[in-house]
Amino acid sequence: MKKRSMPVVFRMVPVTLAITMMTTGVAIPFAASAESPPVTIKTEVLSSNVPAGADVSSLLQKFRDFSHFATGDLAKDTAYALNIVSWQMPHGGFYKDMEEQYAAPWDGVTARSGWKDPNGIELGTFDNDATTSEIRFLADMYDKTGNQAFKNSVRKAVEFILISQYPSGGWPQVYPKRSNYSDAVTYNDNAMVQTMVLLDDMIERRGGFNNDIMTAADRIKLKNALDKGIDYTLKAQIINNDQLTVWGAQHDPVTYVPVQGRAYELASKSGSESVAITAFLMSRPQTPEIEQAAKAALRWFDNVRENGTKYNRQGPVYFEPDAGSVIWYRFYNVDEDVPFYADRDGLKYMDILDISEERRHGYSWAGSYARNLLKLASDQGYYMISQPLP
């Protein structure tokens, strides 16, 4: 365990993000109705000439994976994709972990989501890669087959992404509201980063989006949404003692402060979720605000890393000396760099042996989370690490 540091002052300071959107032609708004036909115009979003900070594609590529849906057999994949379309909810979203259900078309009766809002409306979610993976798979199938059902479903799901975004720019875990922790802006399990990577791919016509699924006007709308998401991320970065650090797993959509998720996911600085956030910022055109945020996060990872320690999730010795290992903890106090653990009782513990065996083994409390991130940043000269990684 790291030595306890002196408490420092926590405060949130808004950071203004200025990203110029260059367009030509006439911009026509994105259709408000999923049934409205797409509008073809000449307007196009132009990529910024400002270079990205570093090539972190190896860290972001996992967010583009939809192999759990695809078999490579076009006939089978087409039938499976049509089943997915049938399970899509009226608001455009999908539920998580639906591979088994997608083996057959929706029967019109079975619940399409495991969650409902207080009014009984089934909730779509970004949790566990949901909705973003369906969009990618259906876009790929449209690219391969030209089936309009896939195109229409993707457009409907994209509207779900747009309508679920908070005015401040963050995305919740679910939509409509679940009236619990799911309503917070959710970086947990990389949900929001995965959504922003998807938007960026649609804007830049990568992968299955180099077609007519999205019009030029649509891409302008998506660019605005992505810019808002980045702006929220910059404002949500936690500040300790006037120094930018990293992010929590969940943040308040209005105040930007880190908030609690499940009972054992207390408000914190996250050594896990902050990796993907940092990588995504490094992949963006480097405005002064973005560069400052990314390099500050890298500095934090560099400063709090614990060299020479190995984490064993199943114990019985959970942390042991190992010269070739480096770890970061899942959760650190919001106002200081002290790691902690929590249990289903909602309490904070400073020793992993003080939480239940079920939580010790059923959750990842540490890992080599930022190792590859720091290595890529160092190797490409984006950030100079303080000492070699183990």
Side-chain angles (χ1 to χ4, degrees):
M1 183 69 67
K2 296 171 69 67
K3 293 183 179 179
R4 188 176 181 85
S5 61
M6 293 297 294
V8 292
V9 178
F10 163 74
R11 62 186 179 91
M12 306 304 302
V13 176
V15 181
T16 302
L17 171 65
I19 298 180
T20 302
M21 182 177 68
M22 301 176 62
T23 63
T24 60
V26 180
I28 299 178
F30 186 70
S33 168
E35 286 73 31
S36 300
V39 181
T40 302
I41 57 174
K42 295 181 180 180
T43 306
E44 184 55 89
V45 176
L46 302 180
S47 300
S48 172
N49 292 323
V50 181
D55 180 3
V56 290
S57 55
S58 60
L59 300 181
L60 300 178
Q61 191 58 31
K62 62 183 178 181
F63 302 131
R64 300 182 170 98
D65 180 42
F66 53 84
S67 60
H68 51 298
F69 291 153
T71 67
D73 183 310
L74 185 60
K76 289 182 179 179
D77 288 347
T78 299
Y80 194 76
L82 288 170
N83 290 346
I84 290 178
V85 171
S86 74
W87 283 90
Q88 189 171 25
M89 288 171 269
H91 47 55
F94 295 89
Y95 190 58
K96 62 179 179 177
D97 305 325
M98 293 287 285
E99 289 86 347
E100 184 176 343
Q101 288 89 331
Y102 290 160
W106 183 53
D107 59 11
V109 178
T110 303
R112 288 167 291 184
S113 174
W115 296 331
K116 294 182 179 180
D117 77 353
N119 297 317
I121 297 175
E122 293 178 316
L123 305 183
T125 183
F126 301 108
D127 193 29
N128 290 12
D129 310 335
T131 301
T132 54
S133 289
E134 279 84 352
I135 288 173
R136 288 188 181 277
F137 177 57
L138 293 174
D140 182 67
M141 291 308 300
Y142 174 66
D143 216 34
K144 292 175 178 175
T145 68
N147 191 318
Q148 291 295 307
F150 303 147
K151 175 181 177 180
N152 294 338
S153 182
V154 168
R155 290 181 60 80
K156 188 175 180 180
V158 169
E159 288 195 11
F160 173 82
I161 292 177
L162 294 176
I163 198 172
S164 65
Q165 186 178 28
Y166 283 116
S168 59
W171 275 276
Q173 186 188 61
V174 303
Y175 183 84
K177 288 187 175 182
R178 192 180 171 200
S179 299
N180 66 3
Y181 67 86
S182 296
D183 300 339
V185 171
T186 303
Y187 293 105
N188 193 29
D189 293 335
N190 304 312
M192 183 161 154
V193 171
Q194 183 149 312
T195 301
M196 292 194 291
V197 170
L198 173 65
L199 292 184
D200 191 48
D201 286 348
M202 288 191 287
I203 294 163
E204 298 296 337
R205 303 174 68 98
R206 299 189 190 98
F209 304 105
N210 189 21
N211 48 42
D212 65 348
I213 288 183
M214 295 289 110
T215 68
D218 296 339
R219 288 190 288 276
I220 291 173
K221 187 74 171 180
L222 297 175
K223 178 68 162 57
N224 288 336
L226 178 58
D227 286 352
K228 286 174 61 179
I230 295 171
D231 185 51
Y232 180 93
T233 299
L234 296 177
K235 290 176 179 176
Q237 191 168 14
I238 298 167
I239 294 179
N240 288 165
N241 198 25
D242 295 327
Q243 298 296 314
L244 290 167
T245 62
V246 285
W247 295 264
Q250 295 86 206
H251 285 255
D252 186 277
V254 177
T255 67
Y256 304 97
V257 300
V259 295
Q260 179 174 335
R262 289 171 288 189
Y264 49 89
E265 295 171 331
L266 305 181
S268 68
K269 295 198 293 283
S270 173
S272 174
E273 277 76 13
S274 295
V275 172
I277 300 171
T278 306
F280 184 71
L281 291 178
M282 289 168 63
S283 77
R284 306 303 302 157
Q286 294 294 285
T287 66
E289 295 86 358
I290 290 176
E291 182 178 11
Q292 179 187 36
K295 289 184 175 179
L298 289 167
R299 188 176 306 110
W300 183 88
F301 281 119
D302 193 13
N303 289 340
V304 306
R305 60 175 160 141
E306 192 164 304
N307 296 328
T309 300
K310 180 180 179 181
Y311 168 60
N312 302 307
R313 179 167 173 169
Q314 299 304 315
V317 177
Y318 298 95
F319 298 97
E320 63 178 340
D322 184 281
S325 297
V326 57
I327 64 167
W328 290 262
Y329 293 90
R330 184 68 175 266
F331 301 132
Y332 295 80
N333 284 340
V334 172
D335 58 354
E336 57 185 352
D337 297 332
V338 175
F340 68 84
Y341 314 93
D343 214 323
R344 294 187 184 277
D345 58 9
L347 299 178
K348 180 185 293 188
Y349 297 91
M350 309 314 291
D351 190 327
I352 195 170
L353 295 177
D354 289 337
I355 64 175
S356 65
E357 183 178 357
E358 182 269 333
R359 279 299 79 196
R360 286 202 303 271
H361 296 171
Y363 201 71
S364 173
W365 294 105
S368 57
Y369 302 132
R371 192 183 197 285
N372 290 339
L373 177 72
L374 282 177
K375 188 175 189 308
L376 282 173
S378 175
D379 289 349
Q380 297 181 41
Y382 183 76
Y383 173 81
M384 182 178 297
I385 57 177
S386 60
Q387 56 182 304
L389 290 160

